[in-house]
Amino acid sequence: MKIPFFNYQKLYVKNKEAIEEAFFSVMERGAFILQSDLEDFESALAKYTGAQYALGVANGTDALWLSMLAAGLKSGDEVLMPSHTYIATPGAARFIGLNPVLVECGADHLMDPNDLQKQITNRTKAIIPVQLNGRTCNMADIINFSNENDLLIIEDAAQGIGSKFNNQMAGTFGIAGTYSFYPAKTLGCYGDGGAVVTNDTKIADAIYELRDHGRAKNGDYNRWGINSRLDNIQAAILLSKLKTLDDEISRRREIANRYINGLGDIADLTLPPSPNDNENYFDTFQNFEIESGKRDKLKIYLSNQGIGTIVQWGGKAVHQIKCLGFDIHLPFTDKVFQRCLLLPMNTTLSDDEINYVIENIRSFYKFN
Ligand SMILES: *Cc1c(COP(=O)(O)O)cnc(C)c1O
């Protein structure tokens, strides 16, 4: 058996009919930029997440920096975020002159609310929680901290669409939340795509304008902007995929259960919390990130058995990327990055394939 970490072709074949219907409909209408498919997708996404507004943009990274700009963050402001994130999160902040300040992750690999206090200064203006691996942070603690310290919250929910904390969707807790539709994301398109959700009319108007050269709904230019529009073909495909997103999430949760039932007794492994572990959390398992004391050996063993795994972010937390110049000690995150590994997790996987991954991990541990 060969199980690549992610099988893009198989995902396309699985959704072929719906994708081609959306694609040809757009082609036949010649409707490519800022057309009804985008508006329909934005309404559907707002409804799905429970946010008042959703705005499509070119990718998840633009969604982040456009949100920071729209929220009024200014050059020199410090923003708190976890070091266990994609470089896009601090990169978006840096790109508009903000200073990203990195904090530890906790046992669940998400930003540790208890580490925020250590890193706050009088220049701190915002917190960027990252809803990593399809799990939403403990937003009650983060909101408390932000209220006490008068900080804005902008959520990086690139990996969090559909996940919930206390029944509220990732992306809807702060002044703005962002999603990525990168092809391997839980709601992926066939190229780049992203969105911002917000309940704040001013933020929504600002994003609407910023993404299209500063042009307002009435056609006037209200400010400087750029081109960061969500392509209408992608929007049409996303609209069609949004209709089955809950089924996709159910399947991911099923796969997570299967992994946990099959691997839960191996003492050297630390597994993510199971889907029904804690009623405050509804996890969507964008990724299934385990920890192993023999991570590197296990990765090679699985690779020899035809199973693709990944150490997230190419193996480095943001503070470990030398050229970025972070001078901060995050021992817990360092430890996680010696141990963490992503197992295959997506809805093209069959039960047989998941069982094959489980069997091979079990046979590795028989001899190691
Ligand atoms: C994917 C991702 C992004 C960036 O999204 P793009 O659409 O690739 O720009 C940002 N943050 C996190 C945590 C991500 O996983």
Side-chain angles (χ1 to χ4, degrees), residues 1-5 255 258-259 262-263 266 269 288 290 298 301-302 305-309 341-345 349-365:
M1 226 183 255
K2 270 227 165 318
I3 306 177
F5 178 73
I255 295 171
R258 199 167 270 272
Y259 275 138
L263 300 170
I266 300 175
L269 293 179
F288 194 82
I290 66 166
L298 174 61
Y301 180 86
L302 293 177
Q305 306 303 313
I307 298 166
T309 60
L341 187 69
L342 299 182
L343 300 184
M345 168 55 86
L349 294 162
S350 66
D351 287 351
D352 284 349
E353 288 173 315
I354 299 301
N355 291 343
Y356 180 77
V357 177
I358 292 169
E359 279 159 27
N360 277 286
I361 294 175
R362 297 196 73 85
S363 59
F364 169 80
Y365 274 108

Side-chain angles (χ1 to χ4, degrees), residues 80-236:
L80 299 169
M81 61 182 69
S83 182
H84 187 350
T85 186
Y86 189 32
I87 192 169
T89 325
R94 272 308 294 201
F95 201 67
I96 57 167
L98 313 180
N99 285 329
V101 175
L102 305 174
V103 306
E104 290 272 33
C105 63
D108 66 357
H109 296 186
L110 274 70
M111 186 170 77
D112 181 0
N114 298 316
D115 202 44
L116 293 168
Q117 188 64 48
K118 271 188 226 153
Q119 308 297 347
I120 195 167
T121 73
N122 57 10
R123 291 177 301 278
T124 309
K125 291 289 152 48
I127 311 175
I128 321 280
V130 178
Q131 316 299 21
L132 196 69
N133 296 334
R135 181 176 172 90
T136 304
C137 295
N138 182 332
M139 292 308 296
D141 287 357
I142 291 170
I143 288 168
N144 277 343
F145 184 81
S146 81
N147 287 342
E148 282 163 15
N149 295 283
D150 200 17
L151 305 174
L152 296 171
I153 294 174
I154 296 169
E155 284 168 76
D156 180 349
Q159 296 194 358
I161 196 158
S163 83
K164 294 176 221 170
F165 177 76
N166 285 346
N167 251 340
Q168 188 176 341
M169 287 260 179
T172 65
F173 289 89
I175 191 158
T178 68
Y179 303 113
S180 164
F181 309 124
Y182 183 87
K185 299 276 156 87
T186 302
L187 179 64
C189 64
Y190 290 82
D192 275 311
V196 177
V197 290
T198 182
N199 293 320
D200 184 304
T201 309
K202 274 206 184 117
I203 299 278
D205 287 345
I207 301 286
Y208 185 98
E209 294 168 13
L210 285 166
R211 72 166 181 196
D212 188 31
H213 304 295
R215 188 158 33 199
K217 290 199 173 103
N218 65 5
D220 286 351
Y221 290 96
N222 277 359
R223 62 177 92 217
W224 290 108
I226 54 145
N227 176 355
S228 180
R229 300 177 297 233
L230 176 61
D231 195 290
N232 204 57
I233 289 177
Q234 301 298 347

Side-chain angles (χ1 to χ4, degrees), residues 85-86 295 310-317 320-321 337 342:
T85 186
Y86 189 32
R295 192 264 316 271
I310 278 183
V311 182
Q312 203 161 196
W313 322 128
K316 282 194 166 78
Q320 298 173 331
I321 304 174
F337 272 79
L342 299 182

Side-chain angles (χ1 to χ4, degrees), residues 12-85:
Y12 166 62
V13 171
K14 182 172 175 257
N15 299 310
K16 191 169 161 48
E17 255 171 62
I19 293 163
E20 290 183 355
E21 194 184 308
F23 175 80
F24 287 119
S25 158
V26 169
M27 295 302 276
E28 279 160 16
R29 283 178 285 127
F32 299 115
I33 304 292
L34 297 177
Q35 297 297 308
S36 63
D37 308 82
L38 175 63
E39 281 174 26
D40 293 348
F41 171 62
E42 289 174 338
S43 311
L45 182 63
K47 188 158 172 240
Y48 181 83
T49 58
Q52 208 171 337
Y53 306 98
L55 285 307
V57 296
N59 55 67
T61 309
D62 282 5
L64 279 166
W65 72 262
L66 292 172
S67 294
M68 296 177 201
L69 208 58
L73 295 174
K74 300 236 155 39
S75 190
D77 289 350
E78 290 178 5
V79 288
L80 299 169
M81 61 182 69
S83 182
H84 187 350
T85 186

